[in-house]
Amino acid sequence: MQPFALSAVEASELIHKRELSCEDLARSTLAQIARYEPEIRAFAYLDPEAVVRRARELDKLTPGHALHGLTFAIKDVIETFDMPTTYNTPAYASHRSGKDAACVATVRALGALVVGKTDTVEFGANGRPAATRNPHNLMHTPGGSSSGSAAAIAAGMAQLAFGTQTGGSIIRPAAYNGVFGFKPTHGVTSSEGAKVYAPSLDTIGWYGRSVADLSLVADALRICDEPSNVPVALRGLKVGLYRGPHWDKVDASGKAALESTAAALAREGAEIVELALPADFESLSAAQQIIIRQEGRRSFLPELLSRPDVMHPLIRQTAENVVGYRHSDLVTAYDTAAMCRSKFDALFRDSGHLDVVLTPPALGEAPYGLDDTGSPACNSIWTLLHAPCISMPTGLGSGGLPVGIQMVTARFGDRRLLDVAWAIQRDLGLGVAPCAHMRSEI
Amino acid sequence: MQPFALSAVEASELIHKRELSCEDLARSTLAQIARYEPEIRAFAYLDPEAVVRRARELDKLTPGHALHGLTFAIKDVIETFDMPTTYNTPAYASHRSGKDAACVATVRALGALVVGKTDTVEFGANGRPAATRNPHNLMHTPGGSSSGSAAAIAAGMAQLAFGTQTGGSIIRPAAYNGVFGFKPTHGVTSSEGAKVYAPSLDTIGWYGRSVADLSLVADALRICDEPSNVPVALRGLKVGLYRGPHWDKVDASGKAALESTAAALAREGAEIVELALPADFESLSAAQQIIIRQEGRRSFLPELLSRPDVMHPLIRQTAENVVGYRHSDLVTAYDTAAMCRSKFDALFRDSGHLDVVLTPPALGEAPYGLDDTGSPACNSIWTLLHAPCISMPTGLGSGGLPVGIQMVTARFGDRRLLDVAWAIQRDLGLGVAPCAHMRSEI
């Protein structure tokens, strides 16, 4: 196996045993990028020479943290001191930040090697789509807005990647590209230095090639009170099966992914419970829309005043509050969300409590075309609930594109969610959905 | 009256009538800074030549917005594209951001003239104090963390200034320096580009020399659904008088400021109601501490990993979570705060509702010395409630330093609060507490 195709955990072990140099990993990854980037277009910025130079510097140091030397791609709404941050918008085409975003500074301080900036839907919101294509089928969207980060992981162009989620921008691309994606509890990582869209929803998350890879980053960012409690046994695990209000829109492959995973968990001894959420949860999707538009309105005011000429019409509509949302709507949305968060958490705490909720990560396979990045229908209420979410690939659907499952738990249950997901990955034999670009090299 | 001593509204009118040039206002303000900055030390960065150049450019344009040409000081935790942003911390001594924070970009797009960066408590948190001294008595603190911004307004060194509040960092310095200060509803302005400390509390606010000055900025930032509804009549206004749990620690001058204002309002026909908050509000101060430390822990993780050697011990304790707060504490704090927000708002909505709450802005006059910036005891629960707060000076206390009042109302009641405050300023004849530096020039 060539180094680029290693998981983060595998590469980390080899680097710590000095059986793999950071430079060799970097060069292998850069070669993979050079080979497939012209068709995938995952990156908004690359500086291969700088990456090799930094890899050599890392080889001179004794590896400390597990992230030492691992390749990391950064969504281009997240600031980096040494690379442009353009938000995929013309007004910031030449923008360079003087410093790293908090998440980037953290992983760099631990030795991670930033390989480049990945393309994004404009501002991580809803303007211009990324140029990125789905590595499993170039005619299909990789999803959005973290389009390039998810595609880069799928195509072997980085081992780890940061994304952001305000609606469904981490979990949906993870599902569409057949990789592992994690949106932690809102606020559990600093999002300083990432473009602000709707701050009460915006969350930094990341992609990898296994749950263990995702845990490496979770530990680096110190998001959990406890160390890992593995091993978790699937026997006796209580799983809430939630098909959700959009189940009739989920395609057959997406439905099969959920149902077959539930059946497999049941065979392993897990207890599967049909979950019905309380009636007031029905208003959460509308509440999320009110919050995203009202908070987005403030976030894009500077651009509306200074560069309206280059503003995407969709962003401009938000900034101008064309819909006419009022603050009284926003208060109701906030208070409804707060009440539902407390109720949702109780599902995982009270007697007969659930361990996780099992639910679709998206409406199925990635849609055809590059303009429509797909629907966040399966994501927005979990984002609003501030709940940690993980997306895991289960295989390919009838259209040849990946499908998977999503699991969700209570706020700050990130450790438990990762541990349960790891057990499920292991016992059900889940892994990154095979993609031609990876297969040809392994 | 020399131009520097004009209120923002007065200067704006003269500029729009072409009776005052932006350059003359800038030069007058810079002369005032040159004269008193050596003793006040309000500024962390000044570039007088650049200010004059920009003022000349503004004079070539037709004044559009009311902010055109007005002098604006920016707290040094808020990024500016053309000036350093140091957070008063050694690790960022040479930091320059590639762009303006959202609030700065907004007022600059409307023609405001940024005169410099104002000194702050380290990171706007609790490390190294600002070098700033109280213009009313150089041996006393100006309060913190927005020390330089409030002092600059008091000493005639700018007409408007941005600050930030996570505990009591806008309202307390306003009271100590005898100026008008406003902390709007949390989230009603974008705080992008301001140093993140505890994002669910961090709020951009501002200082001026009258309520009308504060309203200029509120309108520029589009924080209100409605235009101003002035005139408000004091007769029939329902005011909740809240002395608070720290009343026994408020000094005699601070007590007199509150009681005499309540009495004056009653004479004007307002109905003064003794307010008792529900019992569960007693836990809000502790909840605010848990949130500020837990969120602050994440915010300072990059510095802890990359520059622990230059980290202030207090910031480091937060980053290392020395107290050992757990996520379960944080969930309880969040849910308690959310429930109390809804209950607090109801005081202003239900039958027999209040218009505003009248409460102390600080424990009285500014303490002696520069190391202790005073207590946020009178501020932290309002910040946690996300409620808009305004601080108004009422005069000088027995120690010769300013005292004042604070008014608070429901979330997103910013317009109503400003309108009521304007009526009170007008009918009770309130104004900036006179300071020797201002008097000598008028």
Side-chain angles (χ1 to χ4, degrees):
Chain A
M1 187 185 285
Q2 293 195 31
F4 79 84
L6 296 166
S7 75
V9 168
E10 290 164 343
S12 181
E13 286 173 4
L14 294 175
I15 287 172
H16 276 71
K17 288 191 283 184
R18 297 289 197 179
E19 293 174 12
L20 173 67
S21 72
C22 301
E23 182 176 350
D24 285 347
L25 175 59
R27 286 192 183 278
S28 170
T29 302
L30 290 168
Q32 176 75 354
I33 292 171
R35 185 165 176 182
Y36 291 114
E37 174 63 8
E39 58 191 61
I40 306 291
R41 303 177 71 178
F43 286 91
Y45 182 84
L46 285 164
D47 183 350
E49 289 178 19
V51 173
V52 171
R53 272 199 307 275
R54 179 63 189 146
R56 285 181 179 158
E57 289 170 17
L58 290 168
D59 278 327
K60 291 175 193 158
L61 304 173
T62 303
H65 192 269
L67 291 184
H68 190 91
L70 301 189
T71 56
F72 227 116
I74 313 293
K75 183 177 180 180
D76 199 29
V77 296
I78 301 174
E79 295 184 344
T80 41
F81 83 90
D82 53 350
M83 301 176 185
T85 304
T86 74
Y87 317 113
N88 188 23
T89 196
Y92 290 90
S94 59
H95 170 239
R96 280 180 176 261
S97 165
K99 66 176 195 294
D100 279 344
C103 62
V104 177
T106 299
V107 300
R108 285 216 233 220
L110 299 172
L113 180 64
V114 174
V115 291
K117 301 299 281 283
T118 50
D119 208 358
T120 173
V121 176
E122 190 167 355
F123 285 123
N126 58 351
R128 187 162 72 166
T132 312
R133 298 162 168 210
N134 193 310
H136 293 271
N137 184 330
L138 301 178
M139 302 303 288
H140 288 247
T141 181
S145 63
S146 309
S147 318
S149 286
I153 299 301
M157 295 168 159
Q159 290 164 314
L160 297 164
F162 277 127
T164 62
Q165 177 156 317
T166 306
S169 287
I170 291 167
I171 296 299
R172 184 165 91 261
Y176 286 174
N177 292 276
V179 300
F180 292 81
F182 183 53
K183 182 209 83 70
T185 302
H186 179 264
V188 86
T189 62
S190 172
S191 58
E192 180 159 14
K195 181 73 185 93
V196 174
Y197 177 19
S200 76
L201 303 169
D202 296 342
T203 310
I204 301 281
W206 47 92
Y207 298 101
R209 298 205 190 119
S210 75
V211 176
D213 287 10
L214 300 178
S215 284
L216 279 190
V217 182
D219 291 340
L221 293 167
R222 303 191 183 183
I223 72 171
C224 306
D225 283 334
E226 315 284 351
S228 177
N229 289 319
V230 286
V232 167
L234 297 193
R235 179 160 305 280
L237 207 65
K238 195 156 175 186
V239 176
L241 181 62
Y242 184 68
R243 295 183 183 84
H246 304 284
W247 183 247
D248 58 330
K249 301 194 207 90
V250 178
D251 67 27
S253 300
K255 283 178 173 154
L258 193 78
E259 302 287 10
S260 66
T261 303
L265 289 173
R267 284 194 300 274
E268 298 286 335
E271 181 185 353
I272 310 294
V273 184
E274 296 279 342
L275 178 65
L277 292 172
D280 39 12
F281 281 57
E282 288 168 17
S283 64
L284 288 178
S285 286
Q288 194 264 359
Q289 275 302 302
I290 289 167
I291 291 170
I292 208 169
R293 298 296 164 222
Q294 280 270 40
E295 295 187 359
R297 169 186 172 192
R298 315 187 186 303
S299 298
F300 297 121
L301 177 60
E303 288 80 12
L304 180 69
L305 294 175
S306 60
R307 299 298 307 275
D309 52 312
V310 293
M311 211 168 192
H312 192 283
L314 289 173
I315 308 277
R316 186 164 175 160
Q317 283 167 21
T318 295
E320 290 178 335
N321 189 21
V322 167
V323 177
Y325 290 118
R326 296 176 57 80
H327 285 128
S328 49
D329 307 322
L330 187 57
V331 168
T332 304
Y334 283 151
D335 290 351
T336 302
M339 185 189 59
C340 290
R341 277 172 204 143
S342 182
K343 283 191 188 179
F344 184 68
D345 286 359
L347 296 174
F348 303 89
R349 193 180 54 228
D350 297 345
S351 67
H353 64 81
L354 297 175
D355 289 288
V356 291
V357 167
L358 177 67
T359 189
L363 298 177
E365 293 177 70
Y368 177 86
L370 301 179
D371 288 336
D372 175 10
T373 66
S375 166
C378 299
N379 312 109
S380 59
I381 75 161
W382 314 119
T383 310
L384 181 56
L385 289 170
H386 290 176
C389 307
I390 193 166
S391 185
M392 300 169 70
T394 56
L396 299 179
S398 60
L401 286 151
V403 289
I405 56 163
Q406 176 175 208
M407 292 196 303
V408 184
T409 193
R411 284 175 294 174
F412 301 105
D414 303 78
R415 173 89 284 151
R416 181 73 180 156
L417 182 65
L418 289 164
D419 287 348
V420 168
W422 173 235
I424 291 174
Q425 180 190 347
R426 180 195 60 203
D427 292 356
L428 269 52
L430 303 184
V432 167
C435 143
H437 304 96
M438 294 290 282
R439 277 198 299 262
S440 68
E441 294 294 327
I442 296 171
Chain B
M1 187 185 286
Q2 293 194 32
F4 79 83
L6 295 166
S7 76
V9 167
E10 291 164 343
S12 181
E13 286 173 4
L14 293 176
I15 287 172
H16 276 71
K17 288 192 282 184
R18 299 288 196 180
E19 293 175 10
L20 174 67
S21 71
C22 301
E23 182 176 351
D24 284 348
L25 176 58
R27 287 191 183 278
S28 170
T29 303
L30 290 169
Q32 177 74 354
I33 292 172
R35 185 166 176 181
Y36 291 114
E37 175 61 10
E39 58 192 61
I40 306 290
R41 303 177 71 179
F43 286 90
Y45 183 84
L46 285 165
D47 182 351
E49 290 178 19
V51 172
V52 171
R53 274 200 305 276
R54 179 64 188 145
R56 285 181 179 158
E57 289 169 17
L58 289 168
D59 277 327
K60 292 175 193 159
L61 305 172
T62 303
H65 191 269
L67 291 183
H68 190 92
L70 301 189
T71 55
F72 227 117
I74 313 292
K75 183 178 181 180
D76 199 28
V77 295
I78 301 175
E79 295 184 344
T80 41
F81 83 90
D82 53 350
M83 300 174 184
T85 304
T86 74
Y87 316 114
N88 186 23
T89 197
Y92 290 91
S94 58
H95 170 240
R96 280 181 176 260
S97 165
K99 65 177 196 293
D100 278 345
C103 63
V104 177
T106 299
V107 300
R108 284 216 233 220
L110 299 171
L113 180 65
V114 174
V115 291
K117 302 299 281 283
T118 50
D119 207 358
T120 172
V121 177
E122 190 167 355
F123 285 123
N126 57 352
R128 189 162 71 167
T132 312
R133 298 163 167 208
N134 194 311
H136 294 270
N137 184 330
L138 300 179
M139 301 305 288
H140 288 247
T141 181
S145 63
S146 308
S147 319
S149 286
I153 300 300
M157 296 169 160
Q159 290 164 316
L160 297 164
F162 277 128
T164 61
Q165 177 156 317
T166 306
S169 286
I170 291 167
I171 296 300
R172 184 165 91 261
Y176 286 175
N177 291 277
V179 300
F180 292 81
F182 183 52
K183 182 209 82 71
T185 302
H186 179 263
V188 86
T189 63
S190 172
S191 58
E192 181 159 15
K195 181 73 185 92
V196 174
Y197 177 18
S200 76
L201 303 169
D202 295 343
T203 310
I204 301 280
W206 47 93
Y207 298 100
R209 297 203 192 121
S210 75
V211 176
D213 286 11
L214 301 177
S215 284
L216 278 189
V217 182
D219 290 341
L221 292 168
R222 303 191 184 185
I223 72 170
C224 306
D225 283 333
E226 316 284 353
S228 177
N229 289 319
V230 284
V232 167
L234 297 193
R235 179 161 305 280
L237 208 64
K238 195 157 175 185
V239 176
L241 181 63
Y242 184 69
R243 295 183 183 84
H246 305 284
W247 184 248
D248 59 329
K249 301 193 208 91
V250 178
D251 67 26
S253 300
K255 284 178 174 154
L258 193 79
E259 303 287 10
S260 66
T261 302
L265 289 173
R267 282 195 300 275
E268 297 287 335
E271 182 185 353
I272 310 295
V273 184
E274 296 279 343
L275 178 65
L277 292 173
D280 39 13
F281 280 57
E282 288 168 16
S283 65
L284 288 179
S285 287
Q288 195 264 359
Q289 274 303 302
I290 289 167
I291 292 171
I292 208 169
R293 298 295 164 224
Q294 280 270 39
E295 295 187 359
R297 169 186 170 190
R298 315 189 186 303
S299 299
F300 297 120
L301 177 60
E303 288 80 12
L304 180 68
L305 294 176
S306 60
R307 299 299 306 277
D309 53 313
V310 293
M311 211 168 193
H312 192 284
L314 289 173
I315 308 277
R316 185 164 177 160
Q317 283 167 20
T318 295
E320 291 178 334
N321 188 23
V322 168
V323 176
Y325 289 119
R326 296 177 56 80
H327 284 128
S328 49
D329 307 323
L330 187 57
V331 168
T332 304
Y334 282 152
D335 290 352
T336 302
M339 185 189 59
C340 289
R341 279 173 203 140
S342 181
K343 284 191 187 178
F344 184 68
D345 286 0
L347 297 174
F348 304 88
R349 193 180 54 229
D350 298 344
S351 66
H353 64 80
L354 298 174
D355 289 288
V356 292
V357 167
L358 178 67
T359 189
L363 298 178
E365 293 177 70
Y368 178 86
L370 301 180
D371 288 336
D372 175 9
T373 65
S375 166
C378 300
N379 312 109
S380 59
I381 76 161
W382 314 120
T383 310
L384 181 56
L385 289 171
H386 291 177
C389 308
I390 193 166
S391 185
M392 300 169 69
T394 56
L396 299 178
S398 59
L401 286 150
V403 289
I405 56 162
Q406 177 176 208
M407 291 195 304
V408 184
T409 193
R411 284 174 295 174
F412 301 106
D414 303 77
R415 172 90 285 151
R416 181 73 179 156
L417 182 64
L418 288 165
D419 287 348
V420 168
W422 173 235
I424 291 174
Q425 180 190 347
R426 180 196 59 204
D427 293 357
L428 268 52
L430 304 184
V432 167
C435 141
H437 306 96
M438 295 290 283
R439 276 198 300 262
S440 68
E441 294 294 326
I442 296 171

